[in-house]
Amino acid sequence: MRVLLAGATGLVGSQVLRRLLADARCTAAVAPGRRPPALQDPRLSSPVLDFDQLSLEAPWWNVDAAICALGSTLKQAGSRQAFQRIDHGYPLAIARAVRAHGCTVFALNSAMGANPRSPFFYNRVKGELERDLRALEFASLALVRPGLIGGERAEPRPGEQAAARVLGALAPVLPRAWRINPAGRIADALVEAALAPRPGVRVIGSAQLV
């Protein structure tokens, strides 16, 4: 399968990319972004683009499956408007582009609590994206909903680090859904959803990512 990966330079996305290139089922990978990933491979193409000015004419939109691991935080984005653009607008534009070129499989790294009617802005944006992706009618749509993601980020998030220490200490007594989800486990779920797609919409919750 030929797979497009958005967000290949992030914590989860970088692990997704390594797994795709190590899997014989992936014959080619396309990782468009504002900068190319550090990983190099003969099967990998890394077109540099501006997410605000996507061109639907590019031939690399023609893929069998797509994985989206794009994501930010309100602090990183700088405003609610910017966060909405990065975490909803960009992934939806990518999904529409691959769908227009015949892609039938899409896997999204979403978030626990995603709900378009949530009173919490972050969860509401994630839920609105899931709702809009469902409307595109992919033959196979996987919504991966991790809780707190475990792993070393290039840009540390002090709040996440503090929460990880607390959850790590409490792990033996916490329900599975509230435990830390290692980035590698999330990447495994996204890759398997893309390379071994199941028909319909499937939600993969945090309890399955421990």
Side-chain angles (χ1 to χ4, degrees), residues 6-138:
T9 59
L11 173 59
V12 172
S14 61
Q15 298 209 28
V16 169
L17 183 59
R18 284 196 291 271
R19 284 160 171 75
L20 284 174
L21 296 176
D23 197 310
R25 294 173 295 177
C26 177
T27 56
V30 185
R34 288 179 171 168
R35 66 181 189 278
L39 188 61
Q40 300 296 312
D41 187 279
R43 290 176 296 153
L44 174 64
S45 59
S46 308
V48 176
L49 54 76
D50 181 349
F51 285 112
D52 290 312
Q53 298 180 4
L54 293 180
S55 170
L56 292 178
E57 305 306 317
W60 40 261
W61 290 119
N62 186 14
V63 293
D64 301 300
I67 298 172
C68 183
L70 282 176
S72 63
T73 64
L74 279 168
K75 183 177 181 180
Q76 285 179 321
S79 69
R80 286 192 168 200
Q81 182 180 10
F83 178 81
Q84 179 93 26
R85 183 175 70 252
I86 296 168
D87 279 59
H88 178 276
Y90 293 168
L92 184 58
I94 290 164
R96 286 172 172 164
V98 296
R99 191 74 184 92
H101 283 75
C103 178
T104 59
V105 179
F106 198 90
L108 173 72
N109 186 33
S110 185
M112 182 172 68
N115 187 328
R117 294 179 296 279
S118 173
F120 302 105
F121 178 73
Y122 180 90
N123 290 344
R124 187 164 67 250
V125 171
K126 296 294 187 180
E128 289 170 350
L129 174 59
E130 290 189 0
R131 177 199 62 201
D132 294 342
L133 289 177
R134 289 172 185 263
L136 295 179
E137 298 184 341
F138 284 96

Side-chain angles (χ1 to χ4, degrees), residues 133-190:
L133 289 177
R134 289 172 185 263
L136 295 179
E137 298 184 341
F138 284 96
S140 176
L141 174 62
L143 305 172
V144 180
R145 295 178 177 172
L148 184 65
I149 300 174
E152 295 294 326
R153 295 186 183 275
E155 298 178 4
R157 298 178 181 177
E160 278 192 2
Q161 292 173 338
R165 287 192 293 269
V166 173
L167 292 181
L170 296 175
V173 298
L174 285 175
R176 288 180 63 86
W178 290 94
R179 297 179 191 176
I180 294 172
N181 295 150
R185 291 281 292 135
I186 302 166
D188 287 338
L190 290 165

